[in-house]
Amino acid sequence: MHTSISEILKEKTLKPSRRSLPCLAQSQTHPQSLHHFLSIPLSPERETHTHNVSTSCTHITPQTAESTEAPKDQYVEVSEAGGFESRIEESLLIQKPVFRAKLECRTESIKSVKNTRLLPSGLLFRDGKKRIDYILVYKKSSPQVEKRCTFERNLRAEGLMLEKEPSLTNNDIMFVKIHAPWDTLCKYAEQMNIRMPFRKKCYFSDWKKKAMGSRFHLRCRQVKSWLPRNPMKLDKEALPDLEETDCYTAPFSRARMHHFTINNRETFFSNSTRSRIVHHVLQRTKYEDGKSKMGINRLLSNSTYEAAFPPHEGGYKSRHPIKTHGAQNHRHLLYERWARWGIWYKYQPLDLIRRYFGEKIGLYFAWLGWYTGMLIPAALVGLFVFLYGLFTMDSSQVSKEICEGNTTIMCPMCEGNCSSWRLSDSCVYAKVTHLFDNGGTVFFAIFMAIWATVFLEFWKRRRAELTYDWDLIDWEEEEEELRPQFEAKYSRVERVNPISGKPEPFQPFTDKLSRLMVSVSGIFFMISLVLTAVFAVVVFRLIAMEKFASFQWEFVKKNWQFATSGTGVFINFIIIMSLNVVYEKVAYLLTNLEHPRTESEWEDSFALKMFLFQFVNLNSSTFYIAFFLGRFAGRPGKYNKLFNRWRLEECHPSGCLIDLCLQMGVIMVFKQIWNNFMELGYPLLQNWWARRKMRKRGGGGVVDGDEAGVAGGGEAGCPATDGKTQLPQWDKDWNLQPMNAHGLVDEYLEMVLQFGFTTIFVAAFPLAPLLALLNNIIEIRLDAYKFVTQWRRPMPARATDIGIWHGILEGIGVLAVITNAFVIAITSDYIPRFVYAFKYGPCVNKGYHHENKCLEGYVNSSLSVFDMGEPKNNSLIQSRLCRYRDYRAPPWSAEPYEFTLQFWHVLAARLAFIIVFEHLVFGIKSFIAYLIPDMPKELCERMRREKYLMQEMMYEAELEHLQKERKKNGRRCHHEWP
C-alpha cells in the first residue's frame, strides 16, 4: 500500500528545490514588454477547426513591372495550413486568461509614412498568431528547385507549417518560416525524450537545517545582512525573468499528458526546445529518394539552402532604459546584463544564457567563468613571486658578480668576425633573468600544480550542481541522435541497440579500424610538419645569432641575444598562425573520414585532433628552448655545428630561462590579441561590409540591425518614425554572421591552450596566470557580445559536461608537473646554485646558510677557462684566456677540458630533484583529489529524495486520473489501484 504524498510532506519542514527548468505555466516572469515578441495572440473563445490545405511549390505569373524581372524559377507558397486542433481534452488544461498581444505599429508612425506596406512582424507568421521556430534561406536563382520543393513537401508531411517571405534587402533571397504546431511538438518531444515539468510541484525536506535549529540560521542571516553587499552579484531586480517557480520534470509522454503542467500550449515548450525539435525534423527529412538523400546539412552543402537558423527574439537595444521600462525580450536582457562592457565585474546570468542559447553554450560560459575566478589566486601568487624578484634584483649575488665582472673576458660567440666580450656587458640580461629565476620559482611551480588539481576537482562539483539545476542528471548519451551522415553511410548494416532494443545502423570494426589508421597517419604527418617548421626556426636563430653577434651597430652587437631571441619568436609566431589554418582543414577532413556515430563523438574527435595539432605547433619551439637550447653546443675549440656550417646556440652565463620567458610572453600576448580580433573585430568588419553592400543595392530606406530600435523606436517589420522601414527579424539575422561551423571547439581550444601556457611552463613565466586572467575578463564579454549581437542565434543543444576537454585538461595537469620539474632542474640555475651553496660555497661547514653570502664566487665557479692562443691584432681585448659557461677542467690541468666533479654533482642533484619533485607533487595532487568528492553530499541526498518523491507523484497523479475517469463513467471510486 502506497503512502500518500501529502502525508510525506507534512513530516518535515519544506524548502523549495532549486531546479532551473521552470514551470512555465505558473511563472509570470516575462519582462514588461516581452509579450510584444514572445506571446502568441489567442482568441478567448475556442478556435474553430479549419482544414489543412496541402501546399506545394508553384510557379507564379508576373503581375507587376517589378516582378517581371524576377527569375523564372521563382516559387512561392499558394496557401498554408490552417490550424492544428489538439487531441487532448480541454479538462486537462489549467484554464487561465490569455490576453491578446498588440502587434500593430503605433498609429503616429503609420500616418507619417506614405505608400508604405505594413510588413509582418519578424517573429510571427502573417496571421500574427503562429510563432516562427526556424528560418531557412535560399536563393531564387538556385537550380536546386526540385530538391527544395520535395524537402518542403516532406516537412509539411511531418507536421510542420511553412510560410515564405521575400527579403527586403536582396531580391534574390527568399526566407522560409517554419512553425511547429502543438501536435508535432508533442510527437517529437516524446521521441526525443525531452523532459518537461509536472503539473504538480513538490519540495524536498531540508534535514540539516531543521536538525541544527532555526535560531542559528536566523543569526547567520542577520550577520550576513550587516556585511557589505557583494558588488559582483546581479540584482534580482536586474533579472526579473530568473525569479520563477520550480518543479520536477520527466520525459514527455502523450499518453500521460495529464501529468504535466500545461497552462498555455504556446508557452509550454520554450523557444529553445521548439527550435531543437524543428532542427531534429530538419536533420531527418528526405529531399530525394534514397537513404543517403536526407538532412538539412546536405542541402546546405549543395547550396539548395543558403542558411538555416532559429531566429533571435528581437532587437538587443532599446531607446528606453531597461530600469524604467524593463527588457523587451531575452536578447535585450542578455545584452544589458551580460554583454555590455560596463558590467565586466558582474557574475554571469547562467540560467538566462542556458535558456536562450541552450545547455551546451551555458556550460561553456559556466566553465569559462569558473576558470577565470580560479585564476585570481594564481595570478596574485605569481605577481608576488615576480615582485619578489623585482625587489631583490639589485641585491642578488649572481647579478652583482655578473655586473661587476669587468675583468672577466668571455669567449667569442661566433667563429667569424666575433670578438671577445666582457661579462659585465650582460648586466641587464642577468637582472632581467633574476625576475623569473629566483627563490620563489620552486614554490610557485608546486603551487600551480596543486592549483590545477583543485581547479579541476572543484569544477566537477560545480558541474554536478549545474547539471542538477538544469535538469540534465538523467540525460544520457544513449539518447543522442545518430548523425545523418552516419545513418546514410551504414544504413545497410544494422544491429540492435543494447540500450533501446531498436535496430540502428552499425559501423563494422574492420571499417572503423581502417579509417582510424588513416586518420592517425594523417595526424603523425601533420605533427612531423610542425617539427620541420621548428627545425627551420632553429636554423634561422643560428644564422641570426651569427649575424647579430658581428653586427656593425654597437647597440645590436651588444644585445645580440635579445635580438636573436626576439626575431626568432616573431618568425615562429607567424609560422604558428599560418599553420593553424592548414591544421583546421586537415582535422576537418580526417574527422569526416572517420564517420563518427553522434555529434558529440564528431566534436570530440575533431577537438582532439585540433588540440594535438595546435599544442605541438604552439609548444614545440618552447620545448626546444626549455630543454635543448645550449645543451649540445659543445665547448670552445670543439663546437658542435649544424651541417658543419652554423654553430649551435649557447645559453647566457645567467641561464637560458630568460629565452624561455621571452618566448612564452611574446606568443601568449600576441596570440591573445590576434584571437580577440578574430572573434570580435572580424565579425564586426563582416557585418559592416554586409550593411554597406545592402545600402549600395538601394536599401537606403531600410533600417537594419537595431538602429531603428534606438533611433526610431519602431518594432520589427514596422515603419520607424524617421520614415525608414525597419527590417523584420529574419532579415536582420540573415545579415549577421553564422556561428562557427565547428561549434564551441575554437572557444574551448583557445582557453585550453591558454591553460597549458599557464601551467606547463609557469616556473619560467610567473606572470602567465595574470595575463590569462586579464585576457579572460575581456574574453567573457567579447564572447557574450559576439553571441548576442554579431552572430545568428545558434541551435540550442544539450550537454552534461565540457566533453573531451576535461580529459585534456587533466592530461595537461599531469604534463605540467613533469615539465616544471625539468624546467627547474635543467633550464633554471636553481640546482647549480643549490649545489654550490651547500657543497662548494663559503658557507660549507659553517652552520648558517644566507643566500647572498653562500653564493659568493658562484659565477666564477660556473665558468670554465679556455686558451684562445695569441690574441688578434685588431681585437680590443688583448687576452689569451677566455671564460665560457660549463663545468670543465682548465687547459693546464692533467685532463684539460674534461668534466669536473662539480658537473657530476650538479647532474645527480638535478635527477634527484626531478624524482622527488614529481613524487611529492603527484602525491599531493592525488590526496587532494581523494579529499574532494565529485558531487556535494547535500546534492546527492537531495537527488535521492526527489527521485523518491517523483515516483510518489507519478503514482498519485495516475490514481487521480483514474478516479476522474470512474466518476465520469459512474463507477465506484477506489483509493487504491483497481
Side-chain angles (χ1 to χ4, degrees):
M1 180 175 179
H2 289 269
T3 305
S4 173
I5 194 170
S6 59
E7 298 177 3
I8 298 175
L9 298 178
K10 291 179 181 178
E11 296 177 358
K12 300 293 180 180
T13 304
L14 301 180
K15 177 187 174 183
S17 167
R18 179 67 186 95
R19 302 299 295 269
S20 182
L21 189 59
C23 290
L24 297 176
Q26 299 178 359
S27 176
Q28 302 295 330
T29 60
H30 291 303
Q32 296 180 16
S33 58
L34 193 60
H35 63 275
H36 288 287
F37 295 89
L38 301 181
S39 298
I40 306 300
L42 296 177
S43 174
E45 302 178 357
R46 186 171 179 176
E47 296 179 2
T48 59
H49 179 72
T50 57
H51 296 283
N52 185 6
V53 182
S54 62
T55 58
S56 60
C57 295
T58 308
H59 185 269
I60 63 173
T61 305
Q63 297 179 358
T64 62
E66 295 179 357
S67 61
T68 55
E69 299 177 0
K72 293 182 179 181
D73 55 349
Q74 180 178 357
Y75 288 79
V76 299
E77 295 298 324
V78 174
S79 60
E80 287 297 331
F84 281 72
E85 186 67 25
S86 172
R87 296 187 180 91
I88 67 171
E89 299 180 5
E90 291 293 334
S91 60
L92 300 180
L93 295 179
I94 301 176
Q95 298 297 330
K96 197 169 188 178
V98 180
F99 297 97
R100 180 181 300 273
K102 297 180 180 180
L103 298 174
E104 61 269 15
C105 303
R106 294 184 305 173
T107 55
E108 297 178 0
S109 300
I110 298 177
K111 292 179 181 180
S112 62
V113 181
K114 297 181 179 180
N115 300 326
T116 303
R117 182 173 63 91
L118 184 62
L119 300 176
S121 173
L123 296 172
L124 304 172
F125 273 31
R126 297 191 191 101
D127 59 3
K129 297 180 180 181
K130 300 180 185 66
R131 178 186 306 180
I132 300 175
D133 298 318
Y134 224 86
I135 299 291
L136 301 180
V137 186
Y138 70 88
K139 289 184 177 180
K140 301 175 186 178
S141 58
S142 174
Q144 308 288 350
V145 180
E146 184 178 355
K147 293 180 181 179
R148 185 172 64 249
C149 291
T150 305
F151 183 72
E152 293 173 3
R153 186 165 52 251
N154 292 337
L155 288 179
R156 296 189 191 93
E158 293 292 335
L160 299 180
M161 303 178 68
L162 278 62
E163 185 178 77
K164 295 191 177 181
E165 199 78 34
S167 173
L168 298 181
T169 60
N170 191 335
N171 295 329
D172 194 32
I173 295 297
M174 182 69 73
F175 297 99
V176 180
K177 300 177 289 184
I178 301 177
H179 168 74
W182 171 257
D183 288 347
T184 305
L185 291 173
C186 293
K187 180 179 70 173
Y188 284 100
E190 184 176 10
Q191 293 182 10
M192 298 170 64
N193 292 326
I194 296 178
R195 302 181 67 87
M196 299 305 296
F198 275 101
R199 183 180 49 167
K200 293 182 179 180
K201 69 176 182 178
C202 187
Y203 302 101
F204 70 93
S205 300
D206 197 338
W207 310 97
K208 293 184 178 180
K209 290 189 176 181
K210 186 175 181 180
M212 297 177 66
S214 59
R215 288 186 177 181
F216 174 76
H217 295 284
L218 180 61
R219 295 294 183 186
C220 291
R221 285 195 297 267
Q222 290 178 353
V223 173
K224 189 176 180 180
S225 63
W226 296 338
L227 297 176
R229 182 186 173 194
N230 188 356
M232 301 177 68
K233 288 186 176 180
L234 289 166
D235 301 334
K236 291 185 177 180
E237 296 80 7
L239 292 172
D241 201 59
L242 298 183
E243 299 176 7
E244 55 194 20
T245 57
D246 303 320
C247 56
Y248 298 114
T249 61
F252 184 79
S253 173
R254 288 177 291 179
R256 295 184 175 183
M257 186 102 52
H258 51 277
H259 288 176
F260 298 93
T261 304
I262 308 176
N263 284 4
N264 189 342
R265 296 179 184 179
E266 301 298 336
T267 58
F268 178 65
F269 295 101
S270 64
N271 288 349
S272 59
T273 303
R274 297 172 68 100
S275 300
R276 192 151 52 92
I277 292 175
V278 175
H279 181 77
H280 175 85
V281 179
L282 293 175
Q283 287 282 68
R284 279 151 183 79
T285 302
K286 291 185 177 181
Y287 58 87
E288 281 184 0
D289 294 333
K291 292 186 177 181
S292 62
K293 307 296 184 180
M294 60 183 295
I296 186 63
N297 290 341
R298 291 182 178 272
L299 293 177
L300 291 173
S301 61
N302 61 23
S303 300
T304 301
Y305 289 98
E306 299 297 319
F309 52 87
H312 278 294
E313 295 182 3
Y316 64 88
K317 285 185 179 180
S318 174
R319 66 190 183 114
H320 301 293
I322 191 174
K323 292 184 179 180
T324 57
H325 291 72
Q328 292 183 351
N329 50 71
H330 287 159
R331 189 187 184 196
H332 182 210
L333 191 61
L334 280 172
Y335 176 77
E336 292 291 338
R337 303 305 181 193
W338 181 46
R340 286 194 306 111
W341 292 102
I343 55 172
W344 62 270
Y345 59 94
K346 294 284 188 181
Y347 291 140
Q348 301 181 87
L350 295 178
D351 287 339
L352 187 60
I353 298 170
R354 165 250 179 179
R355 188 186 310 170
Y356 193 82
F357 293 109
E359 287 81 2
K360 193 172 186 178
I361 295 178
L363 271 176
Y364 163 71
F365 282 104
W367 176 83
L368 180 57
W370 185 260
Y371 171 47
T372 304
M374 289 293 292
L375 278 173
I376 295 177
L380 292 177
V381 176
L383 182 62
F384 289 151
V385 171
F386 176 78
L387 292 178
Y388 170 78
L390 181 64
F391 293 145
T392 60
M393 182 172 56
D394 295 330
S395 60
S396 171
Q397 182 64 29
V398 178
S399 300
K400 282 183 179 180
E401 293 185 1
I402 292 178
C403 294
E404 295 173 359
N406 296 323
T407 58
T408 303
I409 307 302
M410 304 298 295
C411 295
M413 299 305 300
C414 63
E415 298 180 351
N417 300 324
C418 300
S419 59
S420 303
W421 53 287
R422 302 182 187 277
L423 181 62
S424 59
D425 295 341
S426 60
C427 177
V428 177
Y429 205 90
K431 289 184 176 181
V432 174
T433 301
H434 182 74
L435 292 175
F436 306 99
D437 188 7
N438 51 65
T441 301
V442 178
F443 163 75
F444 189 57
I446 298 175
F447 172 82
M448 287 303 297
I450 298 174
W451 172 87
T453 302
V454 172
F455 160 66
L456 293 176
E457 293 300 321
F458 275 98
W459 164 248
K460 293 179 183 178
R461 295 168 62 88
R462 176 60 175 160
R463 186 199 66 83
E465 294 174 354
L466 287 175
T467 53
Y468 170 78
D469 289 342
W470 293 352
D471 202 31
L472 299 171
I473 295 295
D474 297 327
W475 189 81
E476 300 291 343
E477 185 179 355
E478 285 75 21
E479 299 178 17
E480 189 176 0
E481 303 89 3
L482 299 178
R483 296 181 72 238
Q485 295 83 350
F486 180 86
E487 290 180 331
K489 179 67 176 178
Y490 300 103
S491 58
R492 297 181 180 179
V493 182
E494 292 186 349
R495 75 167 185 177
V496 178
N497 189 312
I499 305 300
S500 62
K502 299 178 181 179
E504 66 177 19
F506 172 69
Q507 183 181 15
F509 175 76
T510 55
D511 180 80
K512 186 175 183 178
L513 181 62
S514 60
R515 293 177 180 275
L516 187 62
M517 293 300 296
V518 174
S519 179
V520 171
S521 302
I523 293 174
F524 278 106
F525 173 76
M526 297 305 298
I527 291 178
S528 63
L529 182 62
V530 174
L531 299 179
T532 304
V534 173
F535 181 76
V537 174
V538 171
V539 174
F540 171 81
R541 289 174 64 100
L542 298 180
I543 299 175
M545 178 190 69
E546 184 176 333
K547 297 299 181 181
F548 287 134
S550 59
F551 212 72
Q552 295 181 355
W553 292 355
E554 187 63 25
F555 176 78
V556 176
K557 185 177 182 180
K558 187 176 181 180
N559 299 279
W560 62 269
Q561 288 176 315
F562 276 115
T564 302
S565 300
T567 53
V569 169
F570 280 107
I571 294 296
N572 187 35
F573 176 76
I574 294 174
I575 294 177
I576 288 174
M577 301 311 296
S578 302
L579 290 178
N580 282 345
V581 179
V582 180
Y583 297 153
E584 182 176 350
K585 296 181 179 180
V586 173
Y588 187 80
L589 292 175
L590 293 178
T591 306
N592 286 334
L593 180 65
E594 295 176 4
H595 284 294
R597 179 174 174 270
T598 61
E599 286 295 336
S600 61
E601 292 181 3
W602 188 95
E603 288 191 6
D604 290 346
S605 178
F606 179 76
L608 181 61
K609 293 179 181 60
M610 287 295 295
F611 171 76
L612 289 176
F613 290 159
Q614 294 208 19
F615 181 81
V616 175
N617 187 28
L618 199 64
N619 293 282
S620 53
S621 58
T622 309
F623 272 91
Y624 162 75
I625 294 175
F627 305 125
F628 297 98
L629 179 63
R631 311 298 167 196
F632 310 100
R635 62 173 179 83
K638 195 178 180 182
Y639 282 113
N640 297 324
K641 295 183 179 181
L642 184 64
F643 303 131
N644 294 324
R645 173 64 178 84
W646 296 291
R647 203 177 88 185
L648 298 181
E649 284 187 87
E650 293 182 77
C651 289
H652 187 265
S654 58
C656 290
L657 199 67
I658 188 62
D659 296 274
L660 180 60
C661 175
L662 183 63
Q663 173 84 8
M664 291 184 59
V666 171
I667 291 182
M668 190 172 184
V669 171
F670 279 90
K671 192 174 187 302
Q672 289 176 351
I673 293 175
W674 175 257
N675 288 336
N676 291 335
F677 168 76
M678 292 301 295
E679 286 185 2
L680 182 62
Y682 187 63
L684 281 173
L685 291 176
Q686 286 181 314
N687 291 333
W688 169 82
W689 184 253
R691 291 193 298 269
R692 185 172 180 271
K693 290 196 300 184
M694 181 185 66
R695 294 190 182 98
K696 280 188 174 182
R697 286 195 298 262
V702 178
V703 180
D704 67 306
D706 288 86
E707 295 176 2
V710 178
E715 294 186 8
C718 299
T721 56
D722 56 356
K724 295 182 179 181
T725 302
Q726 185 183 354
L727 289 179
Q729 191 61 46
W730 53 78
D731 246 324
K732 295 180 186 178
D733 293 348
W734 166 245
N735 290 325
L736 297 177
Q737 296 302 311
M739 184 180 176
N740 195 312
H742 309 142
L744 294 172
V745 172
D746 290 341
E747 313 295 333
Y748 276 115
L749 181 62
E750 178 185 355
M751 291 295 103
V752 170
L753 292 175
Q754 183 202 86
F755 179 81
F757 260 90
T758 306
T759 55
I760 293 179
F761 294 103
V762 72
F765 192 50
L767 291 180
L770 179 61
L771 293 179
L773 174 63
L774 297 177
N775 174 79
N776 288 4
I777 293 175
I778 301 174
E779 179 76 19
I780 291 176
R781 304 305 162 182
L782 276 180
D783 286 346
Y785 185 83
K786 176 178 61 179
F787 271 92
V788 174
T789 68
Q790 301 302 311
W791 275 2
R792 298 171 192 160
R793 187 177 183 179
M795 201 285 294
R798 308 200 85 188
T800 57
D801 52 24
I802 61 176
I804 197 174
W805 299 109
H806 189 273
I808 293 176
L809 290 172
E810 289 184 337
I812 291 177
V814 173
L815 181 62
V817 177
I818 301 174
T819 53
N820 281 304
F822 277 88
V823 166
I824 296 173
I826 297 177
T827 309
S828 73
D829 274 2
Y830 176 80
I831 298 301
R833 293 197 300 263
F834 182 83
V835 172
Y836 177 81
F838 286 87
K839 183 66 177 177
Y840 298 96
C843 297
V844 178
N845 299 326
K846 289 187 178 181
Y848 67 92
H849 297 282
H850 189 272
E851 182 178 0
N852 289 335
K853 291 184 179 180
C854 295
L855 290 178
E856 291 180 358
Y858 166 75
V859 175
N860 183 65
S861 175
S862 63
L863 298 178
S864 300
V865 181
F866 176 71
D867 186 2
M868 297 184 297
E870 295 297 330
K872 299 179 182 180
N873 296 329
N874 57 352
S875 177
L876 298 178
I877 302 177
Q878 299 294 323
S879 175
R880 181 185 182 92
L881 301 178
C882 68
R883 310 294 297 272
Y884 61 98
R885 178 185 168 87
D886 209 341
Y887 296 101
R888 293 181 182 271
W892 53 82
S893 63
E895 297 179 352
Y897 305 120
E898 294 294 329
F899 289 117
T900 62
L901 183 62
Q902 187 176 357
F903 169 82
W904 300 109
H905 285 166
V906 171
L907 180 62
R910 283 174 168 168
L911 296 178
F913 176 83
I914 292 173
I915 296 173
V916 172
F917 182 89
E918 288 182 356
H919 283 71
L920 175 64
V921 176
F922 279 132
I924 296 175
K925 285 168 65 70
S926 302
F927 182 69
I928 292 176
Y930 173 77
L931 290 180
I932 303 175
D934 294 345
M935 184 178 294
K937 183 179 179 181
E938 182 182 356
L939 180 60
C940 294
E941 295 176 353
R942 185 185 305 175
M943 290 169 55
R944 289 196 296 265
R945 175 68 175 168
E946 291 187 359
K947 185 176 181 180
Y948 169 74
L949 292 179
M950 286 174 61
Q951 294 175 352
E952 294 294 327
M953 289 168 58
M954 294 286 290
Y955 163 73
E956 289 203 352
E958 190 68 27
L959 182 60
E960 182 181 355
H961 178 65
L962 290 176
Q963 290 175 355
K964 288 183 179 180
E965 292 294 328
R966 287 177 180 270
K967 286 182 180 180
K968 287 182 180 180
N969 299 330
R971 300 179 182 178
R972 293 182 59 187
C973 298
H974 299 280
H975 296 284
E976 297 299 330
W977 288 100

Coordinates of all heavy atoms in Angstrom, one line a residue, residues 670-701:
F670 N 50.6 38.1 -28.0 CA 50.2 38.3 -29.4 C 49.1 37.3 -29.9 O 48.3 37.7 -30.6 CB 51.4 38.2 -30.4 CG 52.3 39.5 -30.4 CD1 53.3 39.7 -29.5 CD2 52.0 40.5 -31.3 CE1 54.1 40.8 -29.5 CE2 52.7 41.6 -31.3 CZ 53.8 41.8 -30.5
K671 N 49.2 36.1 -29.4 CA 48.1 35.2 -29.8 C 46.8 35.6 -29.2 O 45.7 35.4 -29.8 CB 48.5 33.8 -29.3 CG 47.6 32.7 -29.9 CD 48.1 31.3 -29.5 CE 47.3 30.2 -30.3 NZ 45.8 30.3 -30.0
Q672 N 46.8 36.1 -27.9 CA 45.5 36.5 -27.3 C 45.0 37.8 -28.1 O 43.8 37.9 -28.3 CB 45.8 36.9 -25.9 CG 46.0 35.6 -25.0 CD 46.3 36.0 -23.6 OE1 46.5 37.1 -23.2 NE2 46.3 35.0 -22.7
I673 N 45.9 38.7 -28.5 CA 45.4 39.8 -29.2 C 44.8 39.4 -30.6 O 43.8 39.9 -31.0 CB 46.6 40.8 -29.4 CG1 47.0 41.4 -28.1 CG2 46.2 41.9 -30.4 CD1 48.2 42.3 -28.2
W674 N 45.5 38.5 -31.2 CA 45.0 38.0 -32.5 C 43.7 37.3 -32.4 O 42.8 37.5 -33.2 CB 46.1 37.1 -33.2 CG 45.6 36.5 -34.5 CD1 45.2 35.2 -34.7 CD2 45.5 37.1 -35.7 NE1 44.8 35.0 -36.0 CE2 45.0 36.2 -36.7 CE3 45.8 38.4 -36.2 CZ2 44.9 36.5 -38.0 CZ3 45.6 38.7 -37.5 CH2 45.2 37.7 -38.4
N675 N 43.6 36.4 -31.4 CA 42.3 35.7 -31.2 C 41.1 36.6 -30.9 O 40.0 36.5 -31.4 CB 42.5 34.7 -30.0 CG 43.3 33.5 -30.4 OD1 43.5 33.2 -31.6 ND2 43.9 32.9 -29.5
N676 N 41.4 37.7 -30.1 CA 40.3 38.6 -29.7 C 39.9 39.4 -31.0 O 38.7 39.7 -31.1 CB 40.8 39.6 -28.6 CG 40.9 38.9 -27.3 OD1 40.3 37.8 -27.0 ND2 41.8 39.4 -26.4
F677 N 40.9 39.7 -31.8 CA 40.5 40.4 -33.0 C 39.7 39.5 -34.0 O 38.7 40.0 -34.5 CB 41.7 40.9 -33.8 CG 41.5 41.4 -35.2 CD1 40.9 42.6 -35.4 CD2 41.8 40.6 -36.3 CE1 40.6 43.0 -36.7 CE2 41.5 41.0 -37.6 CZ 40.9 42.2 -37.8
M678 N 40.1 38.3 -34.1 CA 39.3 37.4 -35.0 C 37.9 37.0 -34.4 O 37.0 36.8 -35.2 CB 40.1 36.1 -35.2 CG 41.4 36.2 -36.0 SD 41.1 36.9 -37.6 CE 40.2 35.6 -38.4
E679 N 37.8 37.1 -33.1 CA 36.5 36.7 -32.5 C 35.5 37.9 -32.6 O 34.3 37.7 -32.8 CB 36.7 36.3 -31.0 CG 37.3 35.0 -30.9 CD 37.3 34.6 -29.4 OE1 36.9 35.3 -28.6 OE2 37.9 33.5 -29.1
L680 N 36.0 39.1 -32.5 CA 35.1 40.2 -32.5 C 35.3 41.2 -33.6 O 34.4 41.6 -34.3 CB 35.2 41.0 -31.1 CG 34.2 42.2 -31.0 CD1 32.8 41.7 -31.1 CD2 34.4 43.0 -29.7
G681 N 36.6 41.5 -33.9 CA 36.9 42.5 -34.9 C 36.5 42.0 -36.3 O 35.9 42.8 -37.1
Y682 N 36.8 40.8 -36.6 CA 36.5 40.2 -37.9 C 35.0 40.1 -38.1 O 34.5 40.6 -39.2 CB 37.1 38.8 -38.0 CG 37.0 38.3 -39.4 CD1 37.6 38.9 -40.5 CD2 36.3 37.1 -39.7 CE1 37.5 38.3 -41.8 CE2 36.2 36.5 -40.9 CZ 36.8 37.2 -42.0 OH 36.7 36.6 -43.2
P683 N 34.1 39.6 -37.2 CA 32.7 39.7 -37.4 C 32.1 41.1 -37.5 O 31.2 41.3 -38.3 CB 32.1 39.0 -36.2 CG 33.2 38.1 -35.7 CD 34.5 38.8 -36.0
L684 N 32.7 42.0 -36.8 CA 32.2 43.4 -36.9 C 32.5 44.0 -38.3 O 31.7 44.6 -38.9 CB 32.9 44.3 -35.9 CG 32.4 44.2 -34.4 CD1 33.3 45.0 -33.5 CD2 31.0 44.8 -34.4
L685 N 33.7 43.7 -38.8 CA 34.0 44.1 -40.2 C 33.1 43.4 -41.2 O 32.7 44.1 -42.2 CB 35.5 43.8 -40.5 CG 36.5 44.7 -39.7 CD1 37.9 44.2 -40.0 CD2 36.4 46.1 -40.0
Q686 N 32.9 42.2 -41.0 CA 32.0 41.5 -42.0 C 30.6 42.0 -42.0 O 30.0 42.2 -43.0 CB 32.0 40.0 -41.7 CG 33.3 39.2 -42.1 CD 33.2 37.8 -41.8 OE1 32.7 37.4 -40.7 NE2 33.6 36.9 -42.7
N687 N 30.0 42.3 -40.8 CA 28.7 42.8 -40.7 C 28.6 44.2 -41.2 O 27.6 44.6 -41.9 CB 28.2 42.8 -39.2 CG 28.0 41.4 -38.7 OD1 27.7 40.5 -39.5 ND2 28.1 41.2 -37.4
W688 N 29.7 45.0 -41.0 CA 29.7 46.4 -41.5 C 29.7 46.3 -43.1 O 29.0 47.1 -43.7 CB 30.9 47.1 -41.0 CG 31.2 48.4 -41.7 CD1 30.6 49.6 -41.5 CD2 32.1 48.7 -42.8 NE1 31.0 50.6 -42.3 CE2 32.0 50.0 -43.1 CE3 33.0 47.9 -43.5 CZ2 32.7 50.6 -44.1 CZ3 33.8 48.4 -44.5 CH2 33.6 49.8 -44.8
W689 N 30.5 45.4 -43.6 CA 30.6 45.3 -45.1 C 29.3 44.9 -45.7 O 28.9 45.3 -46.7 CB 31.7 44.4 -45.5 CG 31.9 44.3 -46.9 CD1 31.6 43.2 -47.8 CD2 32.6 45.2 -47.8 NE1 32.0 43.5 -49.0 CE2 32.6 44.7 -49.1 CE3 33.1 46.5 -47.6 CZ2 33.1 45.4 -50.2 CZ3 33.6 47.2 -48.6 CH2 33.6 46.7 -49.9
A690 N 28.6 43.9 -45.0 CA 27.3 43.5 -45.5 C 26.3 44.6 -45.5 O 25.5 44.8 -46.4 CB 26.8 42.3 -44.6
R691 N 26.3 45.5 -44.4 CA 25.4 46.6 -44.4 C 25.7 47.6 -45.5 O 24.8 48.2 -46.1 CB 25.4 47.3 -43.0 CG 24.8 46.4 -41.9 CD 24.6 47.3 -40.6 NE 25.9 47.8 -40.1 CZ 26.6 47.1 -39.2 NH1 26.2 46.0 -38.7 NH2 27.7 47.7 -38.7
R692 N 27.0 47.8 -45.7 CA 27.4 48.7 -46.8 C 26.9 48.2 -48.1 O 26.4 49.0 -49.0 CB 28.9 48.8 -46.7 CG 29.5 49.9 -47.7 CD 31.0 50.1 -47.4 NE 31.5 51.0 -48.3 CZ 32.0 50.8 -49.5 NH1 32.0 49.5 -50.0 NH2 32.5 51.7 -50.3
K693 N 27.1 46.9 -48.4 CA 26.6 46.4 -49.7 C 25.1 46.5 -49.8 O 24.5 46.8 -50.9 CB 27.0 45.0 -49.9 CG 28.5 44.8 -50.1 CD 28.9 43.4 -50.6 CE 28.4 42.3 -49.6 NZ 28.8 41.0 -50.1
M694 N 24.4 46.4 -48.7 CA 22.9 46.4 -48.7 C 22.5 47.9 -49.1 O 21.5 48.1 -49.8 CB 22.4 46.0 -47.3 CG 20.9 46.1 -47.2 SD 20.3 45.7 -45.6 CE 21.0 47.2 -44.7
R695 N 23.2 48.9 -48.5 CA 22.8 50.2 -48.8 C 23.1 50.6 -50.3 O 22.4 51.3 -50.9 CB 23.6 51.2 -47.9 CG 23.2 51.1 -46.4 CD 23.8 52.2 -45.6 NE 23.4 52.1 -44.2 CZ 24.2 51.6 -43.3 NH1 25.4 51.1 -43.6 NH2 23.8 51.5 -42.0
K696 N 24.2 50.0 -50.8 CA 24.6 50.2 -52.2 C 23.5 49.6 -53.2 O 23.3 50.2 -54.3 CB 25.9 49.7 -52.5 CG 27.1 50.5 -52.1 CD 28.4 50.0 -52.6 CE 29.5 51.0 -52.2 NZ 30.8 50.5 -52.8
R697 N 22.9 48.5 -52.8 CA 21.9 47.9 -53.6 C 20.6 48.6 -53.6 O 19.6 48.2 -54.2 CB 21.7 46.4 -53.2 CG 22.8 45.5 -53.5 CD 22.3 44.1 -53.4 NE 22.0 43.7 -52.0 CZ 22.8 43.1 -51.2 NH1 24.0 42.8 -51.6 NH2 22.4 42.8 -50.0
G698 N 20.5 49.7 -52.9 CA 19.3 50.5 -52.9 C 18.5 50.4 -51.6 O 17.3 50.7 -51.6
G699 N 19.0 49.8 -50.6 CA 18.3 49.6 -49.4 C 18.4 50.8 -48.4 O 18.4 50.6 -47.2
G700 N 18.6 52.0 -48.9 CA 18.9 53.1 -48.0 C 17.6 53.5 -47.2 O 17.7 54.1 -46.2
G701 N 16.4 53.1 -47.7 CA 15.2 53.4 -47.0 C 14.9 52.4 -45.9 O 13.8 52.4 -45.4

